[in-house]
Each structure stands twice: as C-alpha cells, then as structure tokens.
C-alpha cells in the first residue's frame, strides 16, 4: 500500500552540502518526493517537532542542533514508505548503522545523524502536518 513519511535532511547535512547526494539516494530507492521545502527552524519550532522527546536528556542539545541552520523537509511516498525510509537511513547511532545506510555513510555522531524519518503512521501524520498544508499534498 502506498504510504507517506516525513523526511528531514538535518542542518548538519545541509551545511556539509550532502543534500544532493541524499536526494539522489531517495530517488534511486524509488520514492516519490511529494512535497519539499527548506527552512531554518526556530528553537521553539524544533521543540514542538520533537515534543515527544522533551523529557530525554538530549532534548536541549537536539533542539539546539535542529535550529542551528537550514534543513530540508519533505514528504516521501512509496509502498511501505515509513519502514523503507528508516531502513535507508540506518540506526540512530551511526556506529550501529548497517553498511550502505545514509547514517553509516554520512553521520558524524548520534546527534548529528544527517536525516530524520517518521517511525509510525500516527507520527507521520503529525509530522507531515507540522510542515505541510493539506492542500499542498492533493494530487
Ligand atoms: N538523539 C541524540 N542522542 C540520543 C538519541 C537521539 O542526540 O541518545 C537525537 C538524534 O539526532 C536522533 C533524534 O535525537 O535522530 C531523535 O531520536 P530518536 O530516538 O527518535 O531517533 P530517530 O528516530 O531519529 O532514529
Ligand atoms: Mg524518532
């Protein structure tokens, strides 16, 4: 079944000029890029996006990093898109990510790990709605 997920090319990857290579991998994997925009999150906007992690010890550092520069947010569409994109990204910690994954290849640390992906249909719906309007996603 065709599914949508929210993907982010995080500020570390944009700053290091890795966006083009990551987008090539997205297309090579067969995703449709249904919507895309570049934006520089404020700290409160990053805190809202990661609200589920607000009690975690890394929350302050993570939201500081995510608001440190521009990011590219996009809606990816494919059969089983949520799992498919998380598989392409690899594990959160690049030291544990499988060979050939984006995080294994490009990430500098568990925090500066180049990409984000939704982890379930409910989070995908929240995260897509956080950045894109309903009208942007009607074919
Ligand atoms: N993160 C971190 N330290 C940790 C765990 C996570 O800095 O110990 C950061 C990292 O950038 C990660 C984000 O917080 O991508 C969200 O964490 P999550 O567990 O949701 O990982 P993801 O779903 O991105 O793989
Ligand atoms: Mg997550």
């Amino acid at each position: 079944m065709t599914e949508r997920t929210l993907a982010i090319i995080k500020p570390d990857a944009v700053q290091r000029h890795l966006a083009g290579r990551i987008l090539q991998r997205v297309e090579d994997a067969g995703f449709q890029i249904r919507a895309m925009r570049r934006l520089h999150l404020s700290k409160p906007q990053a805190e809202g996006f990661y609200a589920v992690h607000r009690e975690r010890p890394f929350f302050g550092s993570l939201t500081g990093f995510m608001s440190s520069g521009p990011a590219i947010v996009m809606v990816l569409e494919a059969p089983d898109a949520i799992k498919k994109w998380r598989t392409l990204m690899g594990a959160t910690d690049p030291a544990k990510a499988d060979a050939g994954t984006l995080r294994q290849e490009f990430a500098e640390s568990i925090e500066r790990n180049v990409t984000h992906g939704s982890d379930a249909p409910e989070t995908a719906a929240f995260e897509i709605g956080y950045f894109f309007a309903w009208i942007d996603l009607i074919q």
Side-chain angles (χ1 to χ4, degrees):
M1 196 190 76
T2 297
E3 189 177 61
R4 288 173 177 175
T5 192
L6 191 279
I8 305 179
I9 301 176
K10 292 183 175 181
D12 58 329
V14 173
Q15 203 261 325
R16 292 165 61 212
H17 296 176
L18 296 171
R21 267 184 275 177
I22 292 171
L23 288 169
Q24 185 68 59
R25 297 278 288 273
V26 165
E27 292 200 313
D28 288 348
F31 292 98
Q32 299 292 331
I33 301 171
R34 287 287 294 119
M36 179 161 69
R37 57 188 285 231
R38 176 187 189 271
L39 80 176
H40 186 155
L41 288 171
S42 67
K43 188 82 163 24
Q45 286 171 335
E47 289 167 352
F49 181 74
Y50 277 120
V52 66
H53 290 316
R54 65 189 169 276
E55 308 298 340
R56 308 287 287 277
F58 58 80
F59 183 69
S61 180
L62 170 63
T63 54
F65 158 56
M66 289 300 290
S67 57
S68 67
I72 295 169
V73 297
M74 55 198 165
V75 177
L76 303 183
E77 194 172 82
D80 207 14
I82 294 169
K83 187 156 154 262
K84 184 179 164 77
W85 173 236
R86 289 193 67 91
T87 300
L88 180 56
M89 289 199 301
T92 309
D93 181 353
K96 297 179 182 151
D98 288 342
T101 61
L102 295 170
R103 283 163 163 177
Q104 186 273 331
E105 200 166 326
F106 298 124
E108 295 176 308
S109 69
I110 193 168
E111 178 176 275
R112 299 173 69 84
N113 61 1
V114 297
T115 51
H116 167 83
S118 309
D119 63 6
E122 304 71 41
T123 48
F126 166 77
E127 292 176 359
I128 290 169
Y130 200 79
F131 293 111
F132 297 96
W134 189 260
I135 197 166
D136 296 328
L137 290 159
I138 296 170
Q139 312 250 15

